[in-house]
Amino acid sequence: MVPDLVCLGKALTGGFPLSACVGRADIMDAAWPASNGEAIHTSTFLGHPVGCAMALAQIQEIDKRGLVQRSERRGRELLRLLGKIAAPAGIRLNARGQGLLAGLELTNEDGSPATALALKVVADLLHKGFILLPEGEHSNVISFSPPLTIPLSCLKQAVGALAATLTAVARS
């Protein structure tokens, strides 16, 4: 399935402010009438020439290094590793994701969100140097969003730290 519109931001330039809305020509042509020189739409993060050049360079680098395909392979490995984490007593784990954007959902046996546990695990991991974030409506999904260039050894290290911290926090 191909979306009608996709809004893009931060990752377009690796940090320089730029955003874009990409869509099918028929939708974009209807949304943006022809300009007679006036600004039809303005924003702090629209098409600055330096930002556009950075975005084009970023896209070329992603393509040249095969990072989309690499992300797919690393993402499958990440989900496999997350799926092997042993659930603490009274907790259910559900690993899911797409590419390298993945999460581990923590729920109690009754299906309710294990928010307190997830937040404690995330905080403890931060003190150990791992930046994982609580996501989801109830902040009970521990999310991974590593760089597309992450080595497999670093993913294994992060998942290992998550597994150990999850076990330790659940026991305390």
Side-chain angles (χ1 to χ4, degrees):
M1 178 180 214
V2 176
D4 293 334
L5 295 171
V6 176
C7 295
L8 309 167
K10 299 172 190 170
L12 277 173
T13 60
F16 190 85
L18 183 73
S19 65
C21 185
V22 180
R24 294 191 340 243
D26 61 317
I27 292 174
M28 298 304 287
D29 289 346
W32 305 107
S35 170
N36 293 321
E38 77 281 7
I40 295 173
H41 180 70
T42 61
S43 170
T44 304
F45 302 119
L46 283 180
H48 187 279
V50 174
C52 291
M54 292 173 76
L56 289 172
Q58 178 95 335
I59 292 167
Q60 289 171 352
E61 188 68 13
I62 288 169
D63 187 48
K64 181 176 86 178
R65 295 177 69 181
L67 294 180
V68 172
Q69 297 80 7
R70 188 175 196 275
S71 169
E72 185 179 340
R73 288 190 308 273
R74 286 283 189 268
R76 282 194 304 268
E77 185 65 18
L78 175 57
L79 286 178
R80 187 186 71 74
L81 292 168
L82 290 172
K84 291 172 67 175
I85 295 176
I91 299 294
R92 286 189 272 182
L93 304 176
N94 178 34
R96 61 180 185 270
Q98 181 77 34
L100 277 170
L101 182 58
L104 185 66
E105 182 180 21
L106 283 63
T107 55
N108 297 305
E109 283 184 343
D110 64 4
S112 63
T115 302
L117 177 60
L119 293 174
K120 178 73 169 122
V121 168
V122 166
D124 283 11
L125 285 167
L126 183 58
H127 290 293
K128 295 175 184 174
F130 296 94
I131 302 173
L132 302 176
L133 298 173
E135 302 285 353
E137 181 181 359
H138 304 287
S139 299
N140 66 315
V141 179
I142 299 173
S143 75
F144 284 75
S145 55
L148 302 178
T149 56
I150 190 168
L152 183 56
S153 61
C154 290
L155 280 180
K156 288 180 178 179
Q157 183 182 14
V159 173
L162 170 60
T165 303
L166 180 61
T167 299
V169 169
R171 284 185 186 152
S172 62

